[in-house]
Amino acid sequence: MAMNHLEIERKYDADADFAVPEMDGLPGVAETEPPKVHRLSATYFDTEDQRLASYGITLRRRRGGEDAGWHLKIPAGPDSRNELRAPLGRAQVVPAKLAGLVAAYVRGASLRPIAVLETVRTEIRLLDDRGVPLAELADDLVTGRVMGQDGESSWREVEVELGEAGGLDFLKAAEKRLKKAGARPASSGSKLGRLLGREPDEVRKGGDTAGDAVVGYLAEQVAALLRYDPRARLAEFDAVHRMRVATRRIRSALQSYRAIVDRKHTDEVRAELKWLAEELGAVRDLEVLRMHFTARLEEVGEPAEQDWLKSIGRHEEAAYRRLNVVLKEPRYFALLDALDALVAEPPLTERAEKGATVELPKLVKRSWKRLVKAHRAVANAEHVEEARHEMRKSAKKARYAAELAVPVLGQAAKDVAKNAKRVQEVLGDYQDGVIAMDHLRDAATRVTERSEAFTIGVLYGVERCEALRSISKLEATWEETSPPSF
């Protein structure tokens, strides 16, 4: 099962006497199929306190139509949701794979039926000149009831969902025609949301005070962490990386802005964030190595089918299995609860009440000064590799501190983040080379094929040259950076 179906659609409210207009003449439409009528019955599942609904997630078991079964829909952006499906199975038992994908939202609470929607759907498919669907228009007569409540609600709505050949231009043209015929943008983003009378909770935004700015940033990163959780469980490309970045950004913000968010109340959260980042890193590091060496082998004209590289892939798969266990642990759910509480009731200091334009520049400059100090330490370090590693970490912290301040300080903060990122990347490229060489040395002790041993030697030479080339750029890159201008 994979989150491989991206549903892009727009919904419209329509009166009982609304007449669906002819869709001929819309961009690309060559054929309009005859209408099909389906009777759909969907039971929606959620926790007692409607945690999924608060995030705009819907989980249903639907009978009728051409896609009967379990459907899990997770928001993916404006007008779009990622959809996963499972067979009908048992009526009251959520499929384990779907339940697992919402574990970070449910956190051990029971999923139970909360509402039933009955829909009479008149469906029209619009095709291009190759017979490929541009879109599917659905005219829905809906009746819904909430479990445990008396009475029913009924309404009519129209959906336009893009097909394989459709694009946003088509959506705009279809919307224009529907509005002209009397349809209105839907009052709710989903049928369930309309029935329950609730929309997804909004992510907390920044404000005028330093506390507002910091907590708004933390809220964005917590939302990102949750957004990529299901994708990481599915081992989707880059999901673990983005999840780890969100984790690191939260932890870095709590450190860099401890003058705003009281450190005495966040040290435990920071420790748990470090734990989570390490668990995610166990997967990500192997993922990077596998992709890195695969590309290197292509560069030198050697086949990727080598035992030592396959071994990295096997270890990566094992790391993913371990991560999926970790993401089901009470410890992880407790961390998510703590992050929610941190955003909802942040332990702010007195300085948090001061203006963001006053306080944030001071704290960004403080992070930059630490980077300057770390750079000086490299020149006189007894253990230069450790000093370079510390400088890289300082660059990353300075970058994240500046990124937090961008909504408040604008271009000046962007410039700081850009400079810190350039330094971080130079050191990161060097560190990647060092890690690659360490792995190749280890692999060389285990290979038995001479051809593979030769290839490892070639790659080692390439990695060493690239690492030296990267670190040679450090001083020139540093000279091109400038301190914060605020």
Side-chain angles (χ1 to χ4, degrees):
M1 183 184 303
M3 195 174 288
N4 56 7
H5 177 63
L6 181 64
E7 178 185 79
I8 301 176
E9 67 178 13
R10 290 184 182 174
K11 296 176 178 286
Y12 306 90
D13 291 338
D15 296 329
D17 60 353
F18 174 77
V20 176
E22 295 291 332
M23 306 304 281
D24 294 337
L26 290 178
V29 175
E31 180 185 353
T32 300
E33 288 189 343
K36 294 180 181 178
V37 177
H38 302 287
R39 295 186 178 275
L40 313 174
S41 179
T43 302
Y44 287 79
F45 287 71
D46 204 336
T47 61
E48 185 174 0
D49 56 357
Q50 299 178 5
R51 296 182 190 179
L52 298 185
S54 71
Y55 289 97
I57 297 171
T58 58
L59 173 61
R60 72 187 180 202
R61 181 180 186 270
R62 190 168 77 182
R63 291 176 287 111
E66 297 176 354
D67 61 348
W70 288 86
H71 302 163
L72 172 62
K73 298 187 178 185
I74 301 177
D79 303 321
S80 62
R81 292 182 291 182
N82 283 309
E83 181 177 343
L84 295 100
R85 299 176 182 176
L88 276 169
R90 297 167 62 186
Q92 299 296 315
V93 181
V94 178
K97 288 185 177 180
L98 297 186
L101 293 177
V102 295
Y105 302 92
V106 174
R107 301 175 199 173
S110 298
L111 290 167
R112 62 180 184 85
I114 62 164
V116 174
L117 285 168
E118 306 285 345
T119 303
V120 178
R121 167 166 291 180
T122 302
E123 182 181 281
I124 302 172
R125 289 207 311 167
L126 308 171
L127 311 178
D128 68 8
D129 56 6
R130 301 166 296 159
V132 179
L134 283 162
E136 192 174 272
L137 186 147
D139 182 6
D140 292 342
L141 300 177
V142 188
T143 300
R145 61 183 177 86
V146 178
M147 300 295 191
Q149 296 183 14
D150 295 329
E152 295 180 334
S153 298
S154 298
W155 67 91
R156 184 181 181 186
E157 69 178 46
V158 176
E159 298 179 0
V160 180
E161 180 178 348
L162 287 183
E164 181 182 342
L168 294 180
D169 289 343
F170 179 88
L171 268 187
K172 292 177 182 177
E175 178 171 282
K176 185 177 180 179
R177 185 163 297 188
L178 289 168
K179 284 184 175 179
K180 187 175 181 179
R184 307 173 300 278
S187 57
S188 178
S190 70
K191 291 180 176 66
L192 180 63
R194 177 166 181 163
L195 180 64
L196 297 177
R198 70 173 299 168
E199 293 300 305
D201 296 343
E202 292 187 2
V203 176
R204 181 168 175 170
K205 303 295 183 182
D208 295 334
T209 69
D212 289 336
V214 174
V215 176
Y217 177 84
L218 291 173
E220 289 177 358
Q221 300 310 315
V222 172
L225 175 61
L226 285 172
R227 185 164 61 251
Y228 286 104
D229 173 286
R231 293 178 174 275
R233 294 171 190 267
L234 290 169
E236 288 199 1
F237 175 72
D238 212 35
V240 167
H241 170 59
R242 290 181 177 273
M243 195 175 171
R244 183 167 68 157
V245 168
T247 302
R248 285 175 163 178
R249 281 176 169 154
I250 298 168
R251 186 166 180 263
S252 181
L254 293 176
Q255 180 176 8
S256 298
Y257 289 90
R258 59 185 181 272
I260 306 300
V261 181
D262 192 345
R263 181 173 182 173
K264 293 194 298 291
H265 296 86
T266 62
D267 278 350
E268 184 175 348
V269 173
R270 288 185 61 245
E272 290 301 277
L273 287 166
K274 181 181 180 182
W275 160 74
L276 178 59
E278 289 172 350
E279 295 289 351
L280 293 165
V283 174
R284 177 58 179 170
D285 292 346
L286 289 166
E287 186 177 60
V288 169
L289 272 176
R290 175 181 54 78
M291 293 188 297
H292 180 81
F293 285 137
T294 300
R296 282 280 191 250
L297 287 169
E298 184 177 350
E299 288 174 10
V300 300
E302 292 291 335
E305 294 296 316
Q306 306 211 12
D307 288 342
W308 63 273
L309 183 56
K310 291 179 182 177
S311 176
I312 296 176
R314 290 192 294 271
H315 282 94
E316 181 186 348
E317 290 172 0
Y320 264 114
R321 290 194 293 272
R322 162 63 185 166
L323 179 61
N324 268 290
V325 172
V326 167
L327 297 183
K328 296 174 185 176
E329 291 180 357
R331 181 178 183 180
Y332 175 55
F333 298 154
L335 171 58
L336 295 179
D337 286 341
L339 292 173
D340 284 347
L342 180 67
V343 171
E345 298 181 10
L348 300 177
T349 66
E350 291 184 2
R351 288 180 66 178
E353 295 301 318
K354 296 181 180 180
T357 56
V358 174
E359 292 299 311
L360 265 57
K362 300 176 186 176
L363 298 173
V364 173
K365 285 192 284 188
R366 186 173 69 179
S367 289
W368 186 264
K369 288 178 180 177
R370 289 190 177 121
L371 174 55
V372 172
K373 183 177 179 181
H375 172 251
R376 290 173 180 164
V378 170
N380 302 313
E382 181 178 353
H383 302 288
V384 69
E385 295 299 328
E386 293 180 10
R388 286 170 177 165
H389 182 60
E390 290 302 315
M391 183 181 176
R392 182 189 179 196
K393 291 196 296 183
S394 295
K396 189 178 297 184
K397 290 175 184 177
R399 172 188 168 189
Y400 291 160
E403 288 176 348
L404 184 153
V406 167
V408 176
L409 304 179
Q411 188 60 50
K414 285 184 181 180
D415 291 341
V416 176
K418 181 179 178 181
N419 283 331
K421 182 180 179 180
R422 290 171 63 232
V423 172
Q424 175 194 334
E425 288 179 341
V426 168
L427 290 164
D429 289 343
Y430 173 73
Q431 183 64 20
D432 289 346
V434 170
I435 292 172
M437 285 188 289
D438 287 343
H439 189 88
L440 290 170
R441 275 195 296 267
D442 181 63
T445 65
R446 291 180 280 105
V447 296
T448 56
E449 294 288 335
R450 288 186 177 183
S451 60
E452 289 197 6
F454 177 79
T455 299
I456 288 175
V458 171
L459 292 185
Y460 187 90
V462 171
E463 295 298 343
R464 185 172 185 277
C465 289
E466 289 297 320
L468 292 173
R469 184 179 295 112
S470 294
I471 203 63
S472 70
K473 299 176 184 176
L474 179 58
E475 289 310 312
T477 301
W478 181 258
E479 290 299 322
E480 293 172 359
T481 65
S482 55
S485 60
F486 39 73

